[in-house]
Amino acid sequence: MALYVQKYGGTSVGSIERIEAVAERVARTRNAGHDVVVVVSAMSGETNRLLDLARQIAPDPHPRELDVLVSTGEQVTIALLSMALNKRDISAISYTGSQVGIKTDNSHTKARIQDIDGARMRADLNQGRVVIVAGFQGVDPNGNITTLGRGGSDTTAVALAAVLKADECQIYTDVDGVYTTDPRVVDKAKRMEKITFEEMLEMASLGSKVLQIRSVEFAGKYKVPLRVLSSFSDGPGTLITIEEENAVEQPIISGIAFNRDEAKLTVKGVPDVPGVASKILGPIGRANIEVDMIVQNIGVDQTTDFTFTVHRNDFKKAIGILEEVAQDLKAESVVSDDKIAKVSLVGVGMRSHAGVASTMFDTLAAEAINIQIISTSEIKISVVIAEKYLELAVRALHTAFDLDEKDVQEEHYPPAP
């Protein structure tokens, strides 16, 4: 009837009981007459345990050997799930990434998929088998095991769905869909029925943790319908699809994303001459530090202030580099702040509606929240504010843009961090 690729993350397969529950869910899908390919992660905590073992041997393990080690986590899960399905009289077979023909480049620990040979999977599906594939891994041109890095299992699932031309790629996780914002911060957050790839990509890049950016990019490129579902409850989840399949009346704002992991740096009194941005950001880039938002003020006395944000993990490293740059440029000083946060409005409806920015700024002003940096694109507006006002800002904006759930039903989420 249909072909589904289902992906289950580490939490969903974190114990024997949960693996049995996944087997029940897969069995129901198969018994309904559908073909199923399942992609699984390692059991929750297993990858971290393996990494810890490696670091006990060597603080900086060889990347090839590290891939050989951590890829074993998924191998355990695929075998156990296959056993659980066969016990239920559902014919199932498990494969590692290399066995199923997931070919990657040779960038160990962060490999990219180059090709997938779907013949073996198609043959099994034609014989009525459920195919279970280890996520997060593949094989390079020399036959070495590789891993795909952060979000690798999601990427594996989307790539298999693209190759097999699946009707849907279903990502099962510990939440029941994509919400207008984090329900742990706003208890009136709504689960969205649909969201576009473009919006989901922005949400993921701006702090939403439901899906990894690489998997959304892959799905958008190959037009693979994605659905986010809960492993622990039944429900329709959230469909991520192309814009044309969305509702005729697209809401102005689909969601609010936020990120606490930001830090801000300012070089004050920089000479206002061509090339100064390159002289500041060049050393930052060469140190492999990613820059997010950038602001350069207009100089009035032949000097300017240059401000940008980085991930908080790179904060101290960036300060050290800027101190040297400031000396070379004869700048006044370097000012830094690692107690900031970024709040972003996301929605394709911004393209056809004016006044989004003014509503955002008025809402924050009413709560006495100062905006430090502003950045915009076609479908997003991001602001940097003091971290202590983050949750207040998100709640106020959620209400201002009419995103609050009108009839809130009791949900169970972990406490706010």
Side-chain angles (χ1 to χ4, degrees):
M1 292 175 66
L3 169 58
Y4 295 116
V5 174
Q6 298 182 343
K7 181 263 177 178
Y8 295 90
T11 305
S12 302
V13 293
S15 65
I16 293 299
E17 291 75 20
R18 289 184 175 180
I19 290 173
E20 295 278 15
V22 167
E24 284 291 330
R25 189 179 293 276
V26 174
R28 287 202 302 271
T29 306
R30 184 71 193 94
N31 287 332
H34 304 300
D35 289 330
V36 189
V37 174
V38 183
V39 176
V40 292
S41 300
M43 297 172 73
S44 181
E46 179 63 10
T47 300
N48 287 338
R49 185 186 73 85
L50 294 169
L51 288 170
D52 182 60
L53 289 175
R55 291 181 183 124
Q56 288 181 46
I57 295 291
D60 187 19
H62 191 284
R64 180 191 182 279
E65 304 311 326
L66 195 59
D67 277 354
V68 172
L69 176 67
V70 297
S71 64
T72 62
E74 285 73 21
Q75 193 167 331
V76 171
T77 316
I78 58 173
L80 291 174
L81 181 57
S82 181
M83 293 174 191
L85 284 165
N86 281 293
K87 180 178 71 174
R88 289 167 170 78
D89 295 326
I90 300 292
S91 179
I93 186 166
S94 65
Y95 291 120
T96 64
S98 61
Q99 288 174 326
V100 84
I102 299 175
K103 299 168 186 175
T104 74
D105 60 22
N106 59 5
S107 299
H108 287 287
T109 74
K110 53 181 178 181
R112 294 275 177 172
I113 296 174
Q114 295 182 327
D115 189 28
I116 297 176
D117 182 358
R120 196 169 188 177
M121 289 182 290
R122 291 189 185 96
D124 285 319
L125 291 169
N126 289 338
Q127 294 179 33
R129 294 193 183 104
V130 171
V131 177
I132 306 168
V133 180
F136 178 64
Q137 62 182 250
V139 61
D140 75 5
N142 296 317
N144 297 305
I145 295 171
T146 57
T147 62
L148 307 181
R150 187 175 175 84
S153 292
D154 284 1
T155 305
T156 301
V158 173
L160 293 183
V163 167
L164 296 171
K165 294 181 170 49
D167 294 272
E168 203 168 87
C169 180
Q170 301 173 337
I171 307 293
Y172 284 87
T173 180
D174 53 0
V175 296
D176 63 345
V178 181
Y179 277 70
T180 48
T181 196
D182 190 337
R184 295 172 297 183
V185 172
V186 180
D187 59 4
K188 292 185 178 181
K190 292 186 292 189
R191 179 188 56 79
M192 292 181 271
E193 292 184 7
K194 287 186 178 183
I195 185 172
T196 68
F197 285 121
E198 196 174 5
E199 289 169 322
M200 191 66 240
L201 191 58
E202 289 283 10
M203 294 281 282
S205 67
L206 295 168
S208 175
K209 308 297 185 186
V210 177
L211 288 173
Q212 293 295 334
I213 296 172
R214 282 175 66 189
S215 63
V216 181
E217 287 176 337
F218 213 108
K221 180 179 180 180
Y222 293 101
K223 295 181 172 55
V224 176
L226 271 178
R227 190 179 295 274
V228 178
L229 297 149
S230 171
S231 299
F232 310 115
S233 61
D234 293 328
T238 299
L239 180 64
I240 303 154
T241 183
I242 60 176
E243 186 173 346
E244 287 75 13
E245 293 176 349
N246 248 346
V248 175
E249 284 298 320
Q250 177 69 37
I252 302 174
I253 300 300
S254 294
I256 301 174
F258 57 85
N259 190 348
R260 304 174 190 269
D261 300 326
E262 299 267 330
K264 182 180 71 169
L265 301 109
T266 300
V267 187
K268 298 181 72 68
V270 177
D272 190 15
V273 295
V276 70
S278 176
K279 290 178 180 178
I280 293 172
L281 295 181
I284 294 292
R286 287 191 289 274
N288 202 28
I289 297 173
E290 291 186 13
V291 173
D292 185 10
M293 302 171 76
I294 304 171
V295 173
Q296 183 174 354
N297 297 326
I298 298 174
V300 293
D301 57 355
Q302 284 73 55
T303 68
T304 184
D305 295 342
F306 193 92
T307 301
F308 61 95
T309 62
V310 298
H311 193 282
R312 203 170 289 179
N313 290 343
D314 293 320
F315 181 55
K316 291 183 179 179
K317 185 178 179 182
I319 290 175
I321 294 170
L322 284 189
E323 294 287 358
E324 294 183 11
V325 170
Q327 284 186 351
D328 293 341
L329 293 175
K330 294 182 172 55
E332 291 177 12
S333 61
V334 174
V335 179
S336 58
D337 184 2
D338 64 347
K339 296 292 188 290
I340 63 164
K342 181 170 67 175
V343 179
S344 306
L345 303 180
V346 176
V348 295
M350 287 189 198
R351 291 185 177 131
S352 55
H353 291 81
V356 175
S358 61
T359 300
M360 181 184 200
F361 302 155
D362 289 346
T363 301
L364 296 177
E367 299 293 343
I369 299 172
N370 187 45
I371 297 172
Q372 302 178 22
I373 302 177
I374 302 167
S375 173
T376 65
S377 75
E378 212 179 10
I379 66 164
K380 78 157 188 223
I381 303 174
S382 297
V383 297
V384 167
I385 60 174
E387 185 181 15
K388 64 182 178 180
Y389 296 122
L390 173 62
E391 295 192 8
L392 173 62
V394 173
R395 292 189 189 104
L397 291 168
H398 201 269
T399 299
F401 285 95
D402 199 29
L403 296 176
D404 290 352
E405 179 67 76
K406 298 300 186 290
D407 181 21
V408 182
Q409 298 178 350
E410 184 179 356
E411 301 282 355
H412 299 285
Y413 298 97

